[in-house]
Amino acid sequence: MSLLITIDTNPDFVPKNALPAPERLISGNPSFKTWAQDASKGEKVLTGVWEATPGETHSIKGTTFEFCHIISGLIEIEKKDGETKTYRAGCGFRGL
């Protein structure tokens, strides 16, 4: 098994479609698509491409490590203390 895994940012297979859980929806009508490409470390590290349509949801951090690299569009994240961060295409961030 190789330790180097290339992530296809334009996958050609069918994604998993999802909607936010009702208790996490803040506003809008967002939907999500996930193209899962790898799972390792007992599924604590999940790799792939994720797409969301416009809307606001409450994100609850789980036990997985998260690194995001924005391919297109933007995301605004409001932290619990009210600070807002905006990430655009080409930006990245991580969460623990």
Side-chain angles (χ1 to χ4, degrees), residues 31-48:
S31 63
F32 313 120
K33 293 181 181 181
T34 302
W35 292 266
Q37 297 183 37
D38 185 60
S40 60
K41 305 283 185 190
E43 297 208 359
K44 293 218 179 249
V45 178
L46 306 174
T47 310

Side-chain angles (χ1 to χ4, degrees), residues 29-70:
N29 190 25
S31 63
F32 313 120
K33 293 181 181 181
T34 302
W35 292 266
Q37 297 183 37
D38 185 60
S40 60
K41 305 283 185 190
E43 297 208 359
K44 293 218 179 249
V45 178
L46 306 174
T47 310
V49 175
W50 184 73
E51 177 182 288
T53 59
E56 290 183 70
T57 59
H58 178 69
S59 176
I60 298 171
K61 212 36 213 123
T63 59
T64 57
F65 171 84
E66 183 175 36
F67 171 79
C68 298
H69 177 81
I70 309 302

Side-chain angles (χ1 to χ4, degrees), residues 50-93:
W50 184 73
E51 177 182 288
T53 59
E56 290 183 70
T57 59
H58 178 69
S59 176
I60 298 171
K61 212 36 213 123
T63 59
T64 57
F65 171 84
E66 183 175 36
F67 171 79
C68 298
H69 177 81
I70 309 302
I71 298 169
S72 66
L74 66 84
I75 182 172
E76 290 182 348
I77 299 174
E78 183 179 340
K79 296 170 30 176
K80 285 184 179 182
D81 66 6
E83 178 186 5
T84 300
K85 293 276 192 175
T86 301
Y87 299 95
R88 300 179 188 285
C91 295
F93 63 92

